[in-house]
Amino acid sequence: RTGMGAVMGSKNLKAVAVRGTGRYLDLAHDPQTITEFGRQLAKRVKEHPQSWDLQVKGTPGLVSGLNAGGILPTRNFHQGAFEGADKINWESYEKELLTARRSCYACAVRCKREVAVNDRYQVSNAYGGPEYEAIAGFGSNCGIDDLQAVAKANELCGRHTLDTISTSASIAFGMECFEHGLIGLKETDGIELRFGNAGAMLKMVDMIAHRQGIGNLLAEGVRRAADVIGGEARDFAMHVKGEELAMHDPRGKAGVGLGYAIAETGADHLVAYHDTMLQNPASITFKSAMPLGITEALPARELSSKKAAQYALLENWSSLGKVIGFCYFGPAPRSFIQVDEVLSAVKAATGWDLTVEELVRVGERATNLARVFNIREGFSRKDDVLPDRLFTPLENGALAGVALSRDEFEQTMTELYRVKGWDPATGAPTVERLRALGIEWAADML
């Protein structure tokens, strides 16, 4: 998704093979505590509402809620509700596709879906079932309500090692270009590349994988493709820093928009926890975030100095999870492992007796080093921008007529830089912040 595969390919790297000779627990400071912790969590998975929901439905369970909320990306983010949502939601998934529930190694949540189809399309179970991002990407965002076609597109991406988010977003972009006459049948080799055309969508996945015809251009992603096509195409290219938007609309989750804009790789939906988790003070998710210092529930669409401060804290907590190797679906507020338990797990693994603040600081150091890397490579605040479409009203759904306010967004971004200790004019971390984090040596790269 971020081009790492292209870098590996340019170096003729085909695979990385690793063989271990020891046990992970042999390296732990307190293996007994870790073992017992694992047993406790495995039991809790079936009781905690968030992990239980993930176990039963997996991420496909998100479709109906987002559609009802008016933020299911539809037809290249023009709309927030899809008339065919009932045909691609969890109930249809379970009835039409599901064969088994699987997991990453030793995980009790088991959120992965396994599917097989032998009907209109032949879909193998070798690549896992489509996750939410693939369902919304190849489904609603391409205007397609054929769940079997979505599953086939997901299989093709797995077979050809393509990212489902960027691939589906590039196809939705191509569909809009076609419908506006920016590309025609000549460029598409006679394919009617329109929203809702499942056959055309599947053909595009294959053409992108093999870089054939218009697929050769779409394989470059929406930013480069738009530069080649020109004209209105740039308005149709839904990306940040060249990375296509994930299937979450900031017009209904303003903090997600902050994350898309400020993340080092571009439109990443996992840089912080989503606003909807923290808008209800009575919710499990809000209460589980309180030990982090979250004290006030904020509306999901709010843009303010309070939202900037909340976002920065949650971004650092999410960054910590990546640093220490937690799945995004493990720790609070997203799921069932509580904040104090994360501290206990880190202590058992390493022997380090850290506070919540010290752990959050670990995540903040990682975020700042990533930012320093980007600044060194020429990025600045001018790159922390969202597509213009997000500042125009949604065309339908529960949030019809709603758009992000450009002024409020820019003001909140300015406040976010200040909260993070970054220069609001350039977006670069200040020497003072790097020094406070113990990584002042990184300032030499700015």
Side-chain angles (χ1 to χ4, degrees):
R1 174 153 164 74
T2 58
M4 187 63 73
V7 173
M8 291 179 178
S10 72
K11 298 177 185 297
N12 290 320
L13 176 63
K14 304 299 183 185
V16 177
V18 180
R19 171 176 286 179
T21 57
R23 293 194 323 138
Y24 168 74
L25 282 175
D26 293 338
L27 302 174
H29 171 75
D30 184 356
Q32 236 178 342
T33 295
I34 290 181
T35 300
E36 180 56 31
F37 186 45
R39 289 197 189 102
Q40 293 173 10
L41 292 179
K43 293 177 182 176
R44 192 189 306 166
V45 159
K46 300 180 184 301
E47 302 166 358
H48 195 282
Q50 289 162 287
S51 52
W52 176 86
D53 197 56
L54 276 169
Q55 188 172 77
V56 173
K57 299 179 180 178
T59 61
L62 292 170
V63 172
S64 293
L66 291 175
N67 189 64
I71 49 174
L72 180 68
T74 301
R75 295 179 179 87
N76 204 23
F77 283 83
H78 272 289
Q79 302 165 330
F82 181 43
E83 69 279 4
D86 287 348
K87 295 181 180 179
I88 61 172
N89 65 7
W90 164 245
E91 289 75 15
S92 295
Y93 193 109
E94 186 175 36
K95 179 181 178 181
E96 203 166 342
L97 301 180
L98 187 69
T99 58
R101 295 174 173 87
R102 303 297 184 192
S103 74
C104 298
Y105 174 72
C107 178
V109 177
R110 301 176 71 82
C111 71
K112 288 185 177 181
R113 310 295 90 174
E114 190 170 285
V115 306
V117 178
N118 184 19
D119 191 5
R120 296 188 302 279
Y121 300 96
Q122 304 292 314
V123 179
S124 165
N125 65 1
Y127 299 94
E131 298 285 345
Y132 162 73
E133 300 293 337
I135 296 170
F138 291 115
S140 58
N141 208 39
C142 286
I144 291 167
D145 62 9
D146 186 338
L147 196 52
Q148 289 190 21
V150 169
K152 185 63 180 181
N154 182 74
E155 181 208 81
L156 289 172
C157 284
R159 187 182 298 275
H160 297 308
T161 65
L162 297 176
D163 172 61
T164 56
I165 299 175
S166 288
T167 303
S168 62
S170 297
I171 293 172
F173 161 82
M175 288 175 167
E176 187 164 5
C177 287
F178 186 90
E179 292 200 348
H180 281 77
L182 302 183
I183 55 176
L185 293 174
K186 179 182 177 182
E187 287 79 15
T188 63
D189 295 331
I191 297 170
E192 288 276 345
L193 189 57
R194 297 186 181 279
F195 288 117
N197 188 335
M201 179 269 288
L202 289 171
K203 184 62 178 174
M204 281 301 119
V205 176
D206 201 58
M207 291 174 72
I208 287 171
H210 295 95
R211 301 195 73 116
Q212 296 172 343
I214 194 69
N216 187 47
L217 178 60
L218 295 180
E220 295 290 325
V222 299
R223 178 172 66 178
R224 291 184 180 180
D227 286 342
V228 171
I229 295 170
E232 280 185 296
R234 292 185 180 89
D235 297 329
F236 308 159
M238 302 298 289
H239 74 90
V240 178
K241 300 182 180 79
E243 181 168 71
E244 289 76 17
L245 264 62
M247 297 299 123
H248 301 271
D249 196 321
R251 286 170 286 192
K253 301 178 184 179
V256 170
L258 297 174
Y260 282 170
I262 210 165
E264 59 270 12
T265 60
D268 184 347
H269 60 302
L270 299 180
V271 292
Y273 295 89
H274 291 204
D275 311 66
T276 44
M277 299 179 194
L278 301 159
Q279 64 181 347
N280 179 4
S283 67
I284 292 173
T285 46
F286 180 83
K287 290 177 179 177
S288 68
M290 291 175 68
L292 294 172
I294 302 294
T295 59
E296 184 178 357
L298 300 176
R301 289 169 43 218
E302 178 176 315
L303 284 166
S304 64
S305 58
K306 290 180 180 180
K307 181 60 72 78
Q310 185 187 83
Y311 171 85
L313 179 56
L314 292 170
E315 181 192 63
N316 291 334
W317 180 246
S318 179
S319 174
L320 168 76
K322 298 169 190 174
V323 169
I324 63 179
F326 265 115
C327 172
Y328 186 76
F329 292 155
R334 177 61 184 88
S335 200
F336 66 119
I337 305 174
Q338 301 308 302
V339 171
D340 63 321
E341 292 174 326
V342 174
L343 267 68
S344 299
V346 170
K347 182 177 181 180
T350 64
W352 303 340
D353 194 5
L354 302 176
T355 64
V356 173
E357 291 76 16
E358 288 170 328
L359 270 183
V360 170
R361 210 168 171 78
V362 172
E364 186 178 1
R365 274 199 291 274
T367 301
N368 275 265
L369 287 173
R371 187 69 177 192
V372 168
F373 180 95
N374 272 19
I375 297 294
R376 187 192 70 179
E377 297 303 309
F379 289 86
S380 69
R381 178 171 180 167
K382 66 177 173 53
D383 299 291
D384 295 344
V385 295
L386 296 176
D388 286 341
R389 179 160 295 168
L390 299 180
F391 299 102
T392 62
L394 281 160
E395 295 177 355
N396 72 350
L399 295 183
V402 169
L404 284 175
S405 162
R406 196 180 296 274
D407 288 343
E408 288 181 2
F409 185 79
E410 288 303 321
Q411 290 168 11
T412 305
M413 285 292 289
T414 296
E415 183 61 26
L416 180 55
Y417 293 122
R418 291 196 184 105
V419 170
K420 291 166 73 68
W422 296 359
D423 183 341
T426 66
T430 62
V431 175
E432 291 76 18
R433 180 51 61 105
L434 296 178
R435 184 179 296 119
L437 292 170
I439 51 174
E440 63 271 18
W441 53 267
D444 293 340
M445 299 182 189
L446 296 177

